[in-house]
Structure formats: structure tokens, C-alpha cells
Amino acid sequence: MAVSSCFAARVFPPFECRSDPNFSSGAPKPETKKPSFSAALGGGFGLSACGLSSLIFRFPPNFVRQLSTKARRNCSNIGVAQVVAASWSENTPSRSSATFSAAASAAAPVEASVNVDLSADGGCCSGTDVQISDSFDLEERSFLRYDGSLTVHAGERLGRGIVTDAITTPIVNTSAYFFKKTDELIDFKEGRHKSFEYGRYGNPTTMVAEEKLSALEGAESTLLMASGMCASTVMFFALVPAGGHIVITTDCYRKTRVFIETVLPKMGVKALPLQVCLTDAAAVIQPSIMQATVIDPADIEGLKSALDQNDVTLFFTESPTNPLFRCVDIELVSKLCHSKGALVCIDGTFATPLNQKALALGADLVLHSATKFIAGYISGPEKLISVIRTMHFILGGALNPNAAYLIIRGMKTLHLRVQQQNLTASRMAEILEAHPKVACVYYPGLPSHPEHHIAKKQMTGFGGVASFEIDGDLRTTADFVDALKIPYIAPSFGGVESIVDQPAIMSYWDLGRSGRLKYGIKDNLVRFSFGVEDFEDLKADILQALEII
């Protein structure tokens, strides 16, 4: 049953949609500061509750509602691919277990206003004294200092758009929202009345999930969509213009590469290796055609050359990458790209925002896939989000509110799951590396990993997934996988159940051996996503499977 604020009898608890603060009242805007952060291995970011540049609403009785300053212009945040805008301040409290030291070149800070009257006129909420506090009380805002507390309480404990005394956030199942009179509809269209209007433009349950994700990322706003690929494709369509130039990395999720190499060319986009872009001027100088340059994740000189030779619009990469867990120096590439006016989007799915804060490291956008550790999302300044949001309205991909509820529920134990998965993966990576039947292990937490120094600098945990090569051929590796008793043979990763797959068969079988090798996928490669099972059980299972082959 849809919940509406228009029931005069107040049969159902009402909800209100968040709107953009009105700066026309003449209230002074506080001075903004350049983003900053500090970084080191071992913990995570300490964030003020539910976002770093937020306004606080007071809901009687005992409700405190916090929202992002520019995040709710048309109440449109939906889905499982999230767009979050970073906004860091000089006085951001840091976690005691992890102090980050490098300077962020993140998105522009967001301006905030005080003394804004957002009280409702009429309807069932008339007479409810909804106010914004007249000052930013740091003690009040920062009592949730750690990621583990944010995953439980952000978006809910500090107030939510659904007015209810229930601890659990209700599910609002509706695809449309009605207006009492035509005048109210006109007021909504002209920004004087708050509503969601239509399911693709917003949902109260989804909004709570967005607030929770925003708090975890230290972000201004969150746009949820139905999948990570939906977020990726909408982002490309929205931000890269005709004649624009994308730089991507070789090791990445295959379907992202397929989209760039097979779908975008139908729209006049060409994916070119770096060598072609630097040597064949005729292939590059075509203003109406979008180009995509492909470089190695560690090829900083290649990125510099691509930026110097082309008018690059966007640098897009995973970090860590799939499935070899290459790591990109996010702070460095962000500085390089920003010096040339290019945007940076990091797919941080394997890291999770508990292990890596890409926005604080300088990225403009951070994207996560949907069916993994949390939900999918893409993050950045509101000026970028609004462009992506508009494209999302056109292309669709809205998240069902029931799924949003499950995201909210699952996030409450995220920090516990990730801690266990980090620990298990790290210990098993060391054991596997020392085993005589394992040829190579790919895990950023190992000193032998080529980008371990980068991962150590920008990650507080190295993730719950590792890849390794069995000392054998395709059949021997398949025998190892089949001998495992605990993990499921399946795609995806990040769940509470352990999952194993052989990428040569699961994801690249159609290419043939030579085609797979072009992407660095060997027949003996195994990707293992560690669940939350007991470490000793997983260790015993993996070791017995190795003994069989």
C-alpha cells in the first residue's frame, strides 16, 4: 500500500520528500573549504553522521533528520547503482584506527545554508514543526564516527523521510504518487511542493538506502539504479559527449569492455589501443566520433601520453580490477586527469567503501556493482549527478523498493562481513602462495603483488576475493574446483557464501584459448570469493582439493 502525506485522517504514517534548500531567503552561505583527508593502512574513514555536508532536520518526537545539501532537488534517487557526491571538510573527524595522510583532489565542496524553512503547508503534516537546526553542531553530527555504526544507523537513526516510530524502515510499494489538487501539482512542478511523483523518480524506502550509502562513502548524495551495468552505461551516455575521449584499463569487468568495444561503436565510438592513438593521427582526429584509449592499469606514462595527445573526457577503471586485482593509484591519476580537465570514475566493487574511499582519494565518481557486497553505486558532485540522473530518468533502471529494503537490512552487518572476509582472504592468500600446487596468487594484500605498495597506501583492507593459478592445465584446474565442497561454483562474489569460478570457463569460454590470453585469462586461473564461513573449514576444504589434483 502506498503511503501518502495527503491522508487527512492520518490512517497511515506520512512521509515527506526532501528538497533542495532555498538560498533565495538571503541567508548567508558559509565559506567552503578545499577537500582534505588523511590515509594509512588499518581502518577506514571516520565520517560525520550520514554525510559530511549535511543539514539536520528536527522531527518531533525525538527525530533528527539529516539530508545532503543539494541531493534532493527532484527526489529522484533510485536503484542499485549509486551516484554520490563527495564533500569533505577540514574538520572531518578521523578514525582512530586509520589516519589517512595524502591530500584529496576531490570534487568541489558543497555550499550549505542555514535558517531554511521547509515546514509543510496543509495536508496531514500541517502543524508538525519541521525545522532545520540553526547551527551545525559537530558533536551532534559526529556521534557516529565509525563505518560500523554508519552501516547500522545512517539514514535511519538520524531521521528518514518516512515518519514512523518503527525501528525497521517500512517498504513503500507504489509506482506513482497522487496530488490533491491541480494547484498542488503546479506547485510541485515549480518547486514549491515536495513529492516523488513517479517510481522512477524516487521512493521513500529507496531514499533511506541512499542516505545510508552516502554516509558510508562520505558523500553528498546517492542515486540508486537497478544494476551496476546500468550505472556504468548511463554514466557513459550522460557524461561523454560526441567527440569525447575515454581512457580505460585492460583488466576490467568483461561486460564493461564489451559495451565499450561493441555497443559504443554502433554510436560512432572507437576503442583504440594506446599505440594507435599516439601514432595514427587519422584514427584520432575525428571530432564527431567518441574515442576510447586502452592502457595497462599501472601505465602512468601511458595515461600521461593519452591526456597530452587527446582531449580526454573521462578516465574509467576498476581498482582493484577484475579478476587480477590490479590497483590504480587513485590519488595520482586523479591529479593527472584533473590537470587536463578530465573526470575520474573508479569502480570500487572489489574494495567496498569500507576498505577504500575513492572519493576522498580524489576521484570524481565511484561506482559499485549491484549483486556483490552491498549494492551498486556511482558517486560524485551534484553537478555530475544531476546530468546522470536526467539520463537515468530517460533510460530507466529503477530499483524495486523491496530490494532497497533488503539493501538497508544487509548493510547493517556489512562491516562484520567484510572484516571476516578480509581476514580469511588475507590468510588464505598467504597459504596458497606457499603451496607447491599453486603457481601464482593475485591478491593486493600480498607483498608479491605488483601494486601492493599502492594498495597499502589507499586501502584499509584488501578485500574478500583472491585469484590464483593452479599448477596445471584447464582440466586439472577444473578438477580442483570440482573437488571443493564448501563454495558454490557460480559467478559473482561478495556474499556470505563462498563462491568459486574458473574465469576461462565461466566468463571467457566463448573466446577460445588464444582470445582469453589476450585479456590475461589463463586456463588455470581460479577466482575465489571467501564468504563468512569459519576460516579453518575453508582452509581444510581448499587444501584437500589441492591434494586431490
Side-chain angles (χ1 to χ4, degrees):
M1 177 78 183
V3 181
S4 172
S5 60
C6 300
F7 287 102
R10 309 189 72 172
V11 176
F12 298 99
F15 68 86
E16 285 191 0
C17 177
R18 307 166 194 206
S19 65
D20 214 23
N22 178 15
F23 292 135
S24 62
S25 61
K29 302 177 185 177
E31 294 182 3
T32 57
K33 299 179 180 180
K34 290 186 177 181
S36 68
F37 72 100
S38 57
L41 179 66
F45 274 70
L47 306 175
S48 62
C50 204
L52 298 174
S53 63
S54 300
L55 300 176
I56 299 174
F57 284 89
R58 300 196 178 281
F59 277 70
N62 303 324
F63 257 93
V64 179
R65 181 189 185 191
Q66 180 170 337
L67 79 154
S68 303
T69 308
K70 292 185 177 179
R72 308 300 175 196
R73 174 161 292 122
N74 44 16
C75 306
S76 56
N77 301 329
I78 298 182
V80 178
Q82 134 190 158
V83 182
V84 183
S87 179
W88 292 84
S89 61
E90 296 291 349
N91 54 10
T92 301
S94 61
R95 288 186 66 166
S96 57
S97 59
T99 308
F100 283 77
S101 60
S105 54
V110 179
E111 298 177 343
S113 176
V114 296
N115 301 322
V116 183
D117 181 12
L118 294 183
S119 57
D121 294 327
C124 65
C125 294
S126 60
T128 301
D129 186 17
V130 181
Q131 300 177 11
I132 297 176
S133 59
D134 56 4
S135 66
F136 295 114
D137 188 336
L138 289 179
E139 182 178 354
E140 184 179 53
R141 292 175 59 208
S142 61
F143 72 92
L144 298 179
R145 297 173 60 89
Y146 297 88
D147 285 348
S149 300
L150 291 170
T151 58
V152 177
H153 293 299
E156 297 177 285
R157 183 69 174 176
L158 299 180
R160 54 196 165 200
I162 308 171
V163 181
T164 175
D165 291 330
I167 294 176
T168 303
T169 296
I171 303 173
V172 180
N173 274 318
T174 187
S175 61
Y177 305 82
F178 71 87
F179 298 88
K180 291 178 291 186
K181 299 289 184 181
T182 300
D183 286 345
E184 186 177 79
L185 172 59
I186 294 173
D187 286 342
F188 164 73
K189 294 295 184 181
E190 296 182 356
R192 295 183 297 273
H193 173 75
K194 299 177 289 295
S195 174
F196 292 92
E197 182 188 9
Y198 189 57
R200 194 164 68 247
Y201 307 151
N203 177 279
T205 307
T206 302
M207 184 177 290
V208 173
E210 293 164 345
E211 286 292 341
K212 194 177 290 289
L213 290 165
S214 294
L216 196 57
E217 284 287 357
E220 181 190 0
S221 115
T222 295
L223 174 64
L224 289 168
M225 289 180 269
S227 71
M229 277 305 299
C230 180
S232 299
T233 55
V234 170
M235 184 265 297
F236 284 128
F237 283 138
L239 297 183
V240 184
H245 197 107
I246 306 170
V247 178
I248 60 173
T249 52
T250 51
D251 190 34
C252 69
Y253 177 53
R254 188 187 176 194
K255 290 301 185 290
T256 303
R257 185 190 298 116
V258 168
F259 174 78
I260 293 172
E261 293 179 344
T262 66
V263 177
L264 289 182
K266 297 177 182 178
M267 304 172 190
V269 182
K270 291 184 178 179
L272 303 173
L274 177 64
Q275 295 84 349
V276 175
C277 291
L278 299 182
T279 59
D280 189 352
V284 175
I285 306 174
Q286 299 184 50
S288 63
I289 297 178
M290 189 190 341
Q291 306 279 349
T293 299
V294 184
I295 63 172
D296 184 87
D299 190 0
I300 296 299
E301 292 304 316
L303 176 60
K304 290 179 180 178
S305 297
L307 291 169
D308 289 339
Q309 298 292 328
N310 307 282
D311 184 12
V312 176
T313 306
L314 174 72
F315 173 64
F316 177 79
T317 184
E318 300 168 12
S319 188
T321 62
N322 182 25
L324 302 179
F325 303 102
R326 304 291 301 279
C327 293
V328 173
D329 190 330
I330 300 174
E331 183 183 4
L332 177 58
V333 300
S334 296
K335 289 179 179 178
L336 291 174
C337 290
H338 293 163
S339 69
K340 297 292 185 177
L343 299 172
V344 174
C345 180
I346 302 295
D347 184 334
T349 302
F350 277 96
T352 81
L354 292 174
N355 289 328
Q356 178 176 277
K357 308 289 188 184
L359 293 176
L361 291 164
D364 299 289
L365 302 163
V366 59
L367 181 147
H368 286 243
S369 178
T371 53
K372 309 304 184 290
F373 291 95
I374 327 172
Y377 62 88
I378 176 174
S379 323
E382 177 63 20
K383 64 182 180 181
L384 297 179
I385 295 174
S386 61
V387 177
I388 299 172
R389 182 183 291 125
T390 300
M391 184 63 69
H392 164 58
F393 289 169
I394 298 170
L395 298 179
L399 183 70
N400 187 292
N402 293 276
Y405 169 81
L406 292 175
I407 292 169
I408 295 167
R409 183 182 181 186
M411 283 188 66
K412 294 178 186 293
T413 59
L414 176 66
H415 62 295
L416 302 175
R417 290 185 279 118
V418 170
Q419 287 171 10
Q420 175 70 14
Q421 291 165 314
N422 283 347
L423 181 60
T424 299
S426 179
R427 295 172 68 184
M428 280 308 310
E430 293 176 353
I431 292 171
L432 288 167
E433 189 173 46
H435 199 283
K437 293 186 179 180
V438 175
C440 180
V441 179
Y442 302 96
Y443 186 70
L446 292 175
S448 59
H449 189 279
E451 285 90 42
H452 175 67
H453 63 290
I454 296 175
K456 188 175 179 180
K457 178 179 69 171
Q458 67 189 25
M459 300 180 73
T460 58
F462 301 113
V465 189
S467 292
F468 51 94
E469 295 174 3
I470 297 295
D471 187 12
D473 57 12
L474 181 77
R475 184 68 258 172
T476 303
T477 305
D479 289 342
F480 163 76
V481 171
D482 291 343
L484 292 166
K485 300 176 181 178
I486 293 177
Y488 292 95
I489 302 174
S492 199
F493 55 89
V496 295
E497 306 90 356
S498 290
I499 289 177
V500 66
D501 78 89
Q502 195 171 347
I505 299 175
M506 182 68 72
S507 303
Y508 291 86
W509 188 247
D510 59 305
L511 294 184
R513 189 169 184 272
S514 60
R516 294 192 291 267
L517 288 174
K518 287 173 53 180
Y519 298 108
I521 305 300
K522 298 181 181 180
D523 288 348
N524 60 344
L525 181 67
V526 175
R527 190 182 72 177
F528 201 113
S529 172
F530 295 94
V532 298
E533 302 94 346
D534 190 275
F535 167 77
E536 294 297 335
D537 282 335
L538 286 170
K539 181 178 76 170
D541 189 29
I542 292 172
L543 292 179
Q544 67 83 22
L546 286 170
E547 288 303 313
I548 290 176
I549 61 175

